[in-house]
Amino acid sequence: MSKPNSNSELIVSSSTDNLSVIRDFIRNAAENAGLSNEAIGKITLAVDEACTNVIKHAYNYSPDGEINIAANVKKSKFIISITDFGKSFNPEAIPDPNLKESIKQKRVGGLGMFLMKKLMDEVEYHTSSGKKNQVILVKYLA
Amino acid sequence: MEILTENKDDFFVIKIVGRLDASTSNDLEEKVLEAIEDNGVTNMLINFDELEYISSSGLRVLLVAAKKLKVKSGIIKICGMKSHIREVFEIAGFTPLFTIEDHC
């Protein structure tokens, strides 16, 4: 069992089959950080959404990509970074979903990102063009 | 995830057992579309008694079902939602889109 200040890391291929492995990893890391069950549920869903977006948008459903998930505790914050090496996308270009409109239209876009913002205290995106994309998710421990 | 279906009291019942995420939501989407588009279902009851987890991939399928049934003036109900799943519905703004019943 890891200690609250230790880092833990998981590297998986970009297949939706790995989402359950990813959720188990995050659940363990969040439990070790002493988070409440409610917070753990929210963090797990947010990480699932981030990784689903990576599989869909960065790797276009190809299972050959790599997703690197790291969790650590720093200054009363539980910080998760999710890194991929696929196509970058501009999260600012994706508006929050409009459910009234979505019920008329075929697709509902941006629901995963909308949930991530609601579930976490901080969500940040970093891209170094053509190299890697990173999503940082933060939950306050207090 | 497992999907069980039955016809009961004018409703086509879909029971989802397990976890509904991006790896399993396609199976549910197939079942839902087959019922509505091929079999002419208009009244659908989704049984969440044994649903342990849902992500936006699952929510999206439910929205597709709601949209398709609305066009047919049909009904979509969800029953047996666990509290942590109801919270996801609330956060996503999905609660007003469905008739939600506590018990199945």
Side-chain angles (χ1 to χ4, degrees):
Chain A
M1 193 148 109
S2 52
K3 295 196 178 94
N5 285 322
S6 69
N7 295 345
S8 45
E9 192 177 358
L10 174 74
I11 298 172
V12 290
S13 63
S14 54
S15 163
T16 54
D17 290 341
N18 286 326
L19 288 171
S20 62
V21 176
I22 292 167
R23 290 195 299 264
D24 289 346
F25 164 78
I26 281 300
R27 177 165 286 280
N28 265 328
E31 273 172 8
N32 290 341
L35 283 145
S36 69
N37 266 336
E38 195 196 336
I40 291 169
K42 288 182 174 177
I43 293 164
T44 305
L45 179 54
V47 171
D48 177 322
E49 297 296 348
C51 292
T52 299
N53 274 347
V54 165
I55 293 166
K56 277 190 199 175
H57 302 299
Y59 293 122
N60 199 19
Y61 291 104
S62 160
D64 302 328
E66 183 184 300
I67 309 174
N68 184 320
I69 301 139
N72 65 80
V73 174
K74 217 182 270 177
K75 294 180 184 167
S76 302
K77 290 176 175 182
F78 183 64
I79 303 168
I80 306 126
S81 70
I82 296 151
T83 309
D84 70 77
F85 307 91
K87 204 171 63 186
S88 43
F89 72 106
N90 177 8
E92 304 299 332
I94 299 175
D96 285 345
N98 178 336
L99 291 179
K100 272 198 180 139
E101 281 306 307
S102 299
I103 203 137
K104 292 182 206 152
Q105 294 161 0
K106 204 175 170 197
R107 302 292 301 173
V108 46
L111 185 55
M113 285 173 45
F114 174 73
L115 283 178
M116 283 157 61
K117 281 189 268 182
K118 292 274 188 182
L119 295 163
M120 301 301 291
D121 293 313
E122 295 175 22
V123 180
E124 271 177 43
Y125 295 88
H126 302 284
T127 290
S128 43
S129 203
K131 287 180 188 159
K132 65 176 187 180
N133 312 301
Q134 200 167 43
V135 186
I136 312 282
L137 302 173
V138 177
K139 195 82 180 168
Y140 304 147
L141 290 173
Chain B
M1 185 197 65
E2 200 183 346
I3 299 170
L4 307 168
T5 61
E6 64 170 336
N7 287 298
K8 197 180 170 191
D9 304 333
D10 294 333
F11 277 83
F12 183 70
V13 183
I14 299 182
K15 181 171 185 171
I16 310 163
V17 181
R19 294 174 176 81
L20 189 50
D21 65 7
S23 71
T24 55
S25 59
N26 285 349
D27 295 343
L28 178 65
E29 186 163 17
E30 265 177 39
K31 276 273 190 298
V32 163
L33 294 182
E34 182 188 285
I36 299 173
E37 292 178 346
D38 300 344
N39 301 332
V41 165
T42 53
N43 297 340
M44 194 172 266
L45 173 66
I46 319 270
N47 182 330
F48 269 19
D49 263 347
E50 291 181 50
L51 181 71
E52 302 299 334
Y53 176 82
I54 191 165
S55 74
S56 67
S57 302
L59 293 174
R60 194 169 279 123
V61 175
L62 296 171
L63 194 64
V64 168
K67 191 206 75 170
K68 290 198 175 285
L69 291 174
K70 192 185 168 85
V71 172
K72 294 174 142 201
S73 303
I75 300 169
I76 183 161
K77 296 201 285 189
I78 301 173
C79 66
M81 205 182 273
K82 293 185 184 356
S83 62
H84 66 279
I85 290 182
R86 188 181 270 268
E87 199 184 349
V88 176
F89 264 64
E90 297 281 351
I91 292 169
F94 266 52
T95 314
L97 304 178
F98 300 89
T99 303
I100 296 171
E101 294 176 348
D102 288 343
H103 303 289
C104 292

